[in-house]
Amino acid sequence: MDFQKQGLKEAIEIAKNLVIFTGSGVSAESGIPTFRGNEGYWAQFSPQQLASEDGYLDHPDIVWKWYLERRQKALETRPNPAHSSFADMQDFFEKVVIATQNIDKLHQRAGSLDVLELHGSLFRSKCRNCENVWDDENTKFTDDFHICPSCSSPRSVRPDVVWFGEPLPYNILQRAIKEAEDADIFIVAGTSAVVYPAAQLPYIAKQHMAFLIEINTEPTPITSIADLTLRGKAGEILPKLVDVIRNIRR
Ligand code: BV8
């Protein structure tokens, strides 16, 4: 693995702020499907059918079934070495922020403390009627899970995730943009970097002189602007990157 790339050692020596932008590829080695791979969700389902409000309104039970299956899978799985490596990096830099597109909460379960959930969470629901949002990690979903516990309006409860055509949570996106601007090192891991506005973050970091590292099994649009591309599985590469950081920063 080419960690000797020009600039990496210097970047690690002087960095204060580390920002990590992740997508479903970081959870792949935990057994959670990605979206756009051959085995990905979009190979079986249409994103418009499952990850859009129209799809939810047309067939709420199918959308709920998909999210509850994903939620169960996330609960049954464990963070992998990619998640734990990002948590370990908190020992070596003043500030480590994770801006994730993932909704599986595996970064938090691995010990990352500052996680921006750009696309929401499998473990929160919200009411379309009264806009109440609540944690439902311990909810045992039953047939009446459509009833809002706050306003009791029937069939108004949906997953608190960002669907296509919906805006990202304003404060979270603004914070992610600010952190990308302030990043000394910006790691892009396990994302195809095609979903906007989240995918703008690496470009913002690069424009603000961050050292850009990409970790992916395949090339993406970010590859051409990365200062260092580490080609391979995040769960295998990241523990080695932590060793490199530890040797420089200890
Ligand atoms: C918005 C829900 C506007 C949560 C998701 C035309 C019409 C309308 C909109 C648009 C348009 N053109 C562009 C847009 C914007 C649209 C968009 O970007 N579309 C793209 C597809 C062209 N974006 C939106 O609609 C956003 N909203 O624009 O609103 C607006 C503004 C103001 C007011 C009103 C409206 C909303 C985007 C969020 C959509 N929600 N999901 C969920 O169910 O999870 S998207 C979905 O894609 C997930 O969130 C996912 O996180 C995200 C990104 O995918 P990735 O995580 O990157 O996963 P992917 O499978 O693609 O890639 C995996 C990568 O990992 C691969 O590169 C692979 O090589 C790599 N990999 C695999 N294994 C490993 C690995 N790497 C390392 N190690 C491994 N082991």
Side-chain angles (χ1 to χ4, degrees):
M1 189 53 56
D2 173 15
F3 289 110
Q4 305 313 319
K5 176 87 173 157
Q6 186 56 34
L8 176 64
K9 182 171 178 292
E10 293 72 19
I12 293 173
E13 278 170 344
I14 62 175
K16 288 189 173 62
N17 301 334
L18 168 65
V19 177
I20 300 158
F21 175 53
T22 66
S24 62
V26 160
S27 296
E29 290 154 86
S30 295
I32 294 184
T34 62
F35 290 90
R36 293 168 184 82
N38 299 334
E39 314 294 315
Y41 285 121
W42 299 158
Q44 308 163 57
F45 309 109
S46 133
Q48 284 314 325
Q49 270 189 324
L50 288 177
S52 74
E53 184 164 56
D54 289 346
Y56 167 80
L57 294 174
D58 288 349
H59 31 72
D61 293 346
I62 293 176
V63 171
W64 261 113
K65 181 172 181 295
W66 185 51
Y67 277 96
L68 291 178
E69 282 169 1
R70 290 174 64 193
R71 175 191 158 102
Q72 193 51 37
K73 186 140 186 89
L75 287 171
E76 287 165 0
T77 190
R78 298 162 48 81
N80 68 60
H83 300 105
S84 46
S85 295
F86 289 138
D88 291 345
M89 290 180 189
Q90 293 172 132
D91 296 340
F92 302 105
F93 298 98
E94 264 180 40
K95 177 158 70 165
V96 178
V97 177
I98 295 193
T100 186
Q101 300 168 96
N102 300 339
I103 62 175
D104 55 31
K105 217 173 167 181
L106 289 179
H107 283 301
Q108 294 93 321
R109 284 175 53 197
S112 287
L113 301 172
D114 195 350
V115 180
L116 303 174
E117 291 179 318
L118 299 166
H119 290 166
S121 173
L122 283 168
F123 303 102
R124 281 195 308 272
S125 289
K126 67 181 180 184
C127 176
R128 298 179 61 248
N129 180 53
C130 69
E131 300 194 345
N132 182 33
V133 178
W134 62 95
D135 279 312
D136 61 14
E137 188 155 349
N138 303 315
T139 303
K140 286 273 170 281
F141 278 87
T142 60
D143 288 350
D144 69 356
F145 57 53
H146 304 295
I147 294 175
C148 171
S150 171
C151 70
S152 303
S153 97
R155 299 190 75 76
S156 62
V157 174
R158 56 163 283 184
D160 185 27
V161 297
V162 180
W163 283 329
F164 286 107
E166 295 184 331
L168 275 59
Y170 179 79
N171 294 337
I172 288 181
L173 180 58
Q174 292 313 308
R175 168 112 195 271
I177 290 169
K178 177 76 175 74
E179 297 298 351
E181 290 170 350
D182 295 346
D184 299 308
I185 296 177
F186 191 97
I187 295 176
V188 186
T191 182
S192 56
V194 295
V195 175
Y196 283 81
Q200 69 180 324
L201 294 172
Y203 298 94
I204 292 171
K206 185 72 182 172
Q207 283 157 10
H208 288 76
M209 310 310 285
F211 187 85
L212 194 61
I213 301 171
E214 182 184 42
I215 296 158
N216 199 309
T217 46
E218 294 170 5
T220 74
I222 301 301
T223 308
S224 61
I225 64 164
D227 294 295
L228 171 64
T229 294
L230 301 172
R231 183 72 62 237
K233 291 186 174 183
E236 294 170 6
I237 289 173
L238 280 156
K240 295 177 187 151
L241 181 56
V242 171
D243 288 343
V244 168
I245 292 169
R246 182 179 291 112
N247 290 334
I248 295 171
R249 298 280 300 210
R250 67 175 157 204

